[in-house]
Amino acid sequence: MTGSEESPSFRLAYVPGVTPSKWVRIWNERLPDVPLTLRAMSVGEAFDALRGGDADAGLVRLPVDGTDLSAIPLYAETTVVVVPKDHVVAAVDEVSAEDLADDIVLHPLDDTLDWERLPGRPAIERPATTADAVDLVAAGVGLLVVPQSIARLHHRKDLTYRPVTDAPESRVALSWPQDRTTDLVEDFIGIVRGRTVNSSRGRTQPPAEPKAARTDKSAPRRKPAAGRTAGAKSPRPGSGGAKGSKAAGAKRGKPRRGRS
């Protein structure tokens, strides 16, 4: 494993719909001396940037293209269908893929959903991007099935979306080149996995305090008072030695009456 030694910095690519702000905030708190640069990219661009050395790591959507990239799954998203607001689907809370069988369902070239069988009827031509597909939905050409965050990203007043119960989920992952697992990559892995700053895997863990510093054996011990044995307790009045018993008995006895 290698580390960045000259002008350390960290470049993080992320794809549409992914929000890295929480992890970036934690990074800035833990590593304020290492600037983190965000780079918004399409799905294909993100993988190219990782392979070409233009990004140290990326927040991408699975599946990862190729075996030269490592990936840690982070979370899965609900899949929704984007429809015009006057479409019949807008009147229900959720649909199944079978409910879309009679509709044209657009399948853009940058789609990352892992379909076994695409729902609906195919369009004559595949849109180049998801953004193009959203425009076609607004024009009444067809419907679009995407991760929920993508639907929110391309929100329009004339469109809405509903969950598709049996559609594959979209999984977001952290990915990086296997041969460039640097110290900074390990730091970011710790952040997205929720490790604390004191985790044994973190480089920012403070050094352990020496045992001698925790227990000061050089401090002088207090000597017992004269006439006492170290560790002995003083007897309480009314308990303990014979003198104490007599004194206590004298106090508890009844006063005698004088003779006349």
Side-chain angles (χ1 to χ4, degrees), residues 32-33 50-51 69 83 112 144 153 204:
D33 57 329
L50 292 175
R51 290 191 172 96
L69 300 176
V83 301
T112 60
L144 175 65
L153 180 66
T204 54

Side-chain angles (χ1 to χ4, degrees), residues 66-233:
T67 59
D68 57 332
L69 300 176
S70 297
I72 297 175
L74 301 178
Y75 61 90
E77 285 191 65
T78 299
T79 301
V80 301
V81 58
V82 180
V83 301
K85 281 193 171 180
D86 58 356
H87 194 278
V88 63
V89 168
V92 298
D93 294 331
E94 59 184 25
V95 296
S96 66
E98 184 63 27
D99 294 329
L100 308 177
D102 295 331
D103 290 284
I104 293 176
V105 177
L106 303 166
H107 186 214
L109 294 175
D110 61 356
D111 180 24
T112 60
L113 293 174
D114 189 15
W115 292 100
E116 291 185 4
R117 181 173 177 269
L118 292 169
R121 297 185 291 124
I124 297 175
E125 187 176 347
R126 292 183 66 182
T129 66
T130 297
D132 293 337
V134 171
D135 291 337
L136 292 175
V137 174
V141 175
L143 310 182
L144 175 65
V145 180
V146 291
Q148 183 169 299
S149 65
I150 299 294
R152 290 174 176 171
L153 180 66
H154 295 284
H155 171 73
R156 293 175 54 136
K157 292 182 178 180
D158 53 345
L159 301 180
T160 188
Y161 60 84
R162 295 292 184 269
V164 182
T165 56
D166 53 351
E169 292 181 324
S170 177
R171 295 178 296 159
V172 174
L174 175 67
S175 182
W176 70 95
Q178 289 186 3
D179 59 353
R180 295 199 301 273
T181 308
T182 65
D183 286 338
L184 294 180
V185 169
E186 288 285 5
D187 284 329
F188 199 78
I189 291 172
I191 289 173
V192 299
R193 279 184 163 174
R195 295 183 191 138
T196 65
V197 69
N198 294 324
S199 168
S200 60
R201 293 290 299 275
R203 291 193 304 116
T204 54
Q205 181 182 5
E209 186 181 1
K211 186 175 181 180
R214 294 194 300 267
T215 305
D216 190 358
K217 296 182 178 180
S218 62
R221 296 183 179 179
R222 297 179 62 182
K223 296 181 179 180
R228 288 187 189 171
T229 303
K233 295 182 180 180

Side-chain angles (χ1 to χ4, degrees), residues 39-59:
R39 303 192 62 188
M41 300 181 178
S42 67
V43 174
E45 290 173 341
F47 290 130
D48 290 341
L50 292 175
R51 290 191 172 96
D54 295 325
D56 299 298
L59 295 169

Side-chain angles (χ1 to χ4, degrees), residues 238 245 247-254:
S245 299
K251 289 181 180 179
R252 287 197 296 269
K254 295 182 179 181

